[in-house]
Amino acid sequence: MVTDNGRTALVICAAVLTIALAYFARSVFAPMALALFGIAVVWPVQRWLEARMPQLAALAISLLLTIIAIGALLLLSVWGVGQVGRWIALNAAQLQQAYGELTQWLEGFGIYLNGIFVEQFHVSWLVRRTQQIATMLSGLTGFSALVLVFLMLGLLEVRDLKAKVVSACQPETANRVLHTTGLIAEKFRRYAAIRTAASVLTGLLVALLCWLLGIDLALAWGVLAFALNFIPFIGPFIATVLPAAFAVVQFQSWEAAALILASSSVVQFLIGSYLEPRLSGSALSISPFLVIFAVFFGALLWGITGAFIGVPVAIAILTVLKQFPNTAWMAELMSGSPKRDDAQAA
């Protein structure tokens, strides 16, 4: 007979092994996780099309729409990074001068960057890193193709999988599985819709703000803010700091950079801390600490894909924990609101 301590040890061991497997087999599990998220988002479109045309034709249209959406996001990101890279190359001397002024200012406080970064930092280094980012984004074609393969196969299997669950499990177990997966899929769709709407609004406001303040590459900064906003916390932080840093070079003024940084921070705060929680409601309520952990832990496991998919995975785990009395308390601890009923919210 297994004691409570034994069960706890088994659970911990299983969790560690699962994380290790997810890391070492990330070339398979990362696109699979992204495909499962995509299946949940695309399935209502696929189901609507299947009611009006043959299944394969509906699948072709669903995949085409998905390719257009992913391709547009990647192309916009590459274009924005490319614009910034060209601007860096044209303003290399001013960037080097701004870096020198920053090191002198910090030395007045006893912070010596030259001893840390003098060998690493140079404008040419910054240009190379920007080009590498653009190349990395352009090289996601193979990864995206694997995601689309998983997505295609998954969309074809959704109806059959439901029938298999009903036939293979007891009625109570089948109902619980289907109910839980339905809740997760609904939350994924809501998360995707809210994140997309918030990203579009963020991009528009950042572009407008940069244009009003006379910052170069206003449209590029808006595009990057739109793309980066899909990664919680990390993306908005980068989209806020970068325009301010480049404004130092353009205006030769730290005060102008501070104004841009403050204005962008207000935009990010209003959208991320006020608008998104109101749109998501209690169904997507999740602890801010868990969001940060999910983003950084996902990035550690799967890179940029993990940073993007980390929050949806955390939402799925919370939904599963909520369905069982023995683990519901864990979901309550990690949720953002102490009073929520997932079944009613969905």
Side-chain angles (χ1 to χ4, degrees):
M1 181 176 180
V2 181
T3 63
D4 291 339
N5 291 334
R7 292 192 187 95
T8 302
L10 288 175
V11 170
I12 293 175
C13 291
V16 171
L17 290 175
T18 301
I19 293 172
L21 179 63
Y23 176 77
F24 288 107
R26 55 188 177 276
S27 59
V28 175
F29 283 104
M32 182 182 295
L34 197 58
L36 290 174
F37 178 78
I39 291 170
V41 174
V42 177
W43 173 244
V45 177
Q46 172 75 10
R47 182 175 54 193
W48 185 85
L49 291 172
E50 284 184 1
R52 292 159 176 80
M53 61 184 68
Q55 184 184 35
L56 292 180
L59 178 63
I61 295 176
S62 299
L63 290 177
L64 178 61
L65 294 175
T66 304
I67 292 172
I68 291 174
I70 296 176
L73 181 61
L74 291 177
L75 287 176
L76 286 173
S77 302
V78 171
W79 177 83
V81 173
Q83 291 293 311
V84 173
R86 281 188 287 272
W87 191 92
I88 291 174
L90 293 174
N91 296 272
Q94 293 89 332
L95 278 168
Q96 195 67 43
Q97 179 182 351
Y99 175 72
E101 294 175 354
L102 175 62
T103 56
Q104 292 178 4
W105 180 75
L106 291 175
E107 285 175 3
F109 298 91
I111 303 174
Y112 297 92
L113 290 183
N114 283 335
I116 305 174
F117 298 110
V118 67
E119 297 297 332
Q120 290 81 8
F121 180 85
H122 192 271
V123 172
S124 60
W125 172 88
L126 191 57
V127 172
R128 287 196 302 271
R129 291 297 178 269
T130 306
Q131 292 172 343
Q132 287 174 358
I133 293 173
T135 303
M136 180 191 68
L137 292 173
S138 302
L140 290 176
T141 305
F143 179 86
S144 300
L146 186 56
V147 172
L148 289 174
V149 169
F150 283 134
L151 181 66
M152 176 184 66
L153 297 176
L155 288 174
L156 290 173
E157 290 286 335
V158 170
R159 294 188 186 278
D160 293 338
L161 184 60
K162 289 183 177 180
K164 291 177 182 177
V165 170
V166 172
S167 62
C169 303
Q170 296 294 329
E172 182 180 354
T173 303
N175 290 335
R176 173 172 286 185
V177 170
L178 294 178
H179 173 71
T180 303
T181 54
L183 281 177
I184 293 173
E186 176 62 29
K187 291 183 179 184
F188 280 179
R189 289 191 286 271
R190 186 179 300 187
Y191 175 83
I194 293 171
R195 181 59 61 179
T196 301
S199 297
V200 171
L201 182 59
T202 299
L204 292 174
L205 291 179
V206 169
L208 178 62
L209 177 64
C210 292
W211 177 74
L212 291 175
L213 295 176
I215 304 175
D216 292 340
L217 307 178
L219 182 58
W221 294 125
V223 167
L224 289 177
F226 159 74
L228 289 169
N229 198 68
F230 283 96
I231 303 176
F233 285 101
I234 298 177
F237 175 77
I238 296 174
T240 300
V241 172
L242 278 182
F246 281 81
V248 175
V249 178
Q250 179 182 345
F251 298 110
Q252 298 293 311
S253 170
W254 294 96
E255 290 79 7
L259 174 61
I260 295 166
L261 181 63
S263 303
S264 300
S265 298
V266 170
V267 171
Q268 298 286 0
F269 176 79
L270 290 177
I271 295 176
S273 300
Y274 179 78
L275 181 61
E276 286 190 43
R278 284 185 171 272
L279 291 175
S280 62
S282 61
L284 298 183
S285 181
I286 182 172
S287 167
F289 173 82
L290 183 59
V291 171
I292 297 176
F293 176 80
V295 171
F296 282 95
F297 189 72
L300 177 66
L301 286 180
W302 296 338
I304 190 172
T305 303
F308 169 77
I309 202 69
V311 175
V313 170
I315 292 173
I317 293 174
L318 288 181
T319 303
V320 173
L321 293 177
K322 185 69 173 178
Q323 306 309 308
F324 299 92
N326 292 335
T327 57
W329 63 273
M330 299 173 62
E332 291 295 338
L333 286 177
M334 292 183 287
S335 66
S337 173
K339 295 181 180 180
R340 59 187 254 260
D341 189 339
D342 283 349
Q344 294 178 0

